[in-house]
Amino acid sequence: MPARPDEFLFPASDIPASVKAALGDDLELRPLAISDHARGHFELLTVLTAAPNIGKDAYIDRFEYLRSCPNTYYTVVIVHKATDQLVAVGTVFVERKFTRSGGLVAHIEDIAVSKKMQGRKLGLLIIKTLEELGRQAGCYKVILDCSKENIAFYEKCGRVSWNLEFKHKE
Ligand code: ACO
């Protein structure tokens, strides 16, 4: 059964209509829903990194925490309508700074497109949507970290600047 609007992380009306219109008829772009645990959210995230299933109760707790922070967390998903399964996901969250007169910075995180759907410009659509959500939230810049392998993808997306990230050795 498709997710109901009252299950969404943020109002679906925040997503620009122009982005939704660019999707194929077989797909829907919408906010993450509290019931998406059952639509393969963790399986989708494993194309990105280790994402063990934390179970339905922990998923609901995490979702409710994110939803309780107003105007901060925006996770969008693309759903394959015929199977009611998630095929793409991405997040932008809003950092509130003391600099720049209390400016806001958008951080793009955790972009994943299922292997069978890669190459259909879904990654590009997710990035455009997240960038627009960050802009609508009043952010003065949108940033992300990525591996060297993905730099070319983000350059093709064309709208975000990328930064090198330094990690501690494990
Ligand atoms: N390297 C170079 N170019 C790429 C790459 C890549 N890894 N991936 C896509 N592109 C190009 C495409 O060829 C296309 O170019 P074109 O416009 O000239 O035809 C353009 O980028 C847009 O591609 P999409 O079809 O939108 O890409 P896709 O939907 O396949 O998603 C993504 C790309 C998100 C990198 C996907 O392959 C994926 O999920 N990979 C595994 C997880 C991952 O690495 N996520 C990003 C982590 S970084 C972060 O989350 C901030």
Side-chain angles (χ1 to χ4, degrees):
M1 194 197 299
R4 300 186 316 267
D6 63 303
E7 295 180 327
F8 292 165
L9 184 58
F10 62 92
S13 54
D14 287 357
I15 297 177
S18 57
V19 183
K20 288 185 190 166
L23 269 183
D25 289 344
D26 56 332
L27 302 172
E28 179 195 4
L29 193 152
R30 62 159 171 75
L32 185 73
I34 198 165
S35 53
D36 282 338
H37 176 263
R39 295 188 182 86
H41 191 183
F42 288 103
E43 291 81 350
L44 172 58
L45 288 170
T46 58
V47 304
L48 171 69
T49 189
N53 192 327
I54 59 174
K56 188 177 172 187
D57 290 348
Y59 187 87
I60 288 171
D61 284 352
R62 176 57 48 91
F63 186 99
E64 290 294 21
Y65 174 80
L66 300 178
R67 189 155 61 173
S68 73
C69 305
N71 309 317
T72 302
Y73 292 104
Y74 300 88
T75 296
V76 296
V77 295
I78 295 178
V79 187
H80 182 241
K81 290 182 192 168
T83 57
D84 197 27
Q85 291 292 296
L86 307 190
V87 294
V89 63
T91 294
V92 64
F93 75 90
V94 177
E95 177 193 3
R96 290 166 170 79
K97 288 190 166 289
F98 284 106
T99 55
R100 299 214 176 214
S101 309
L104 306 179
V105 173
H107 295 263
I108 287 182
E109 289 280 338
D110 297 348
I111 310 295
V113 176
S114 71
K115 287 214 165 89
K116 58 178 188 267
M117 289 289 189
Q118 288 178 10
R120 282 186 58 175
K121 303 274 195 284
L122 302 189
L124 182 61
L125 269 181
I126 293 266
I127 294 287
K128 275 188 182 172
T129 308
L130 298 177
E131 186 204 26
E132 182 57 20
L133 287 168
R135 197 192 62 75
Q136 285 173 188
C139 297
Y140 69 87
K141 70 175 175 181
V142 179
I143 60 177
L144 59 83
D145 291 321
C146 73
S147 63
K148 275 195 223 157
E149 293 73 42
N150 285 326
I151 288 174
F153 165 67
Y154 288 110
E155 284 180 338
K156 287 205 166 167
C157 292
R159 288 181 169 77
V160 289
S161 62
W162 53 270
N163 295 299
L164 284 177
E165 180 194 16
F166 294 92
K167 281 187 181 164
H168 290 293
K169 283 187 180 166
E170 293 184 356

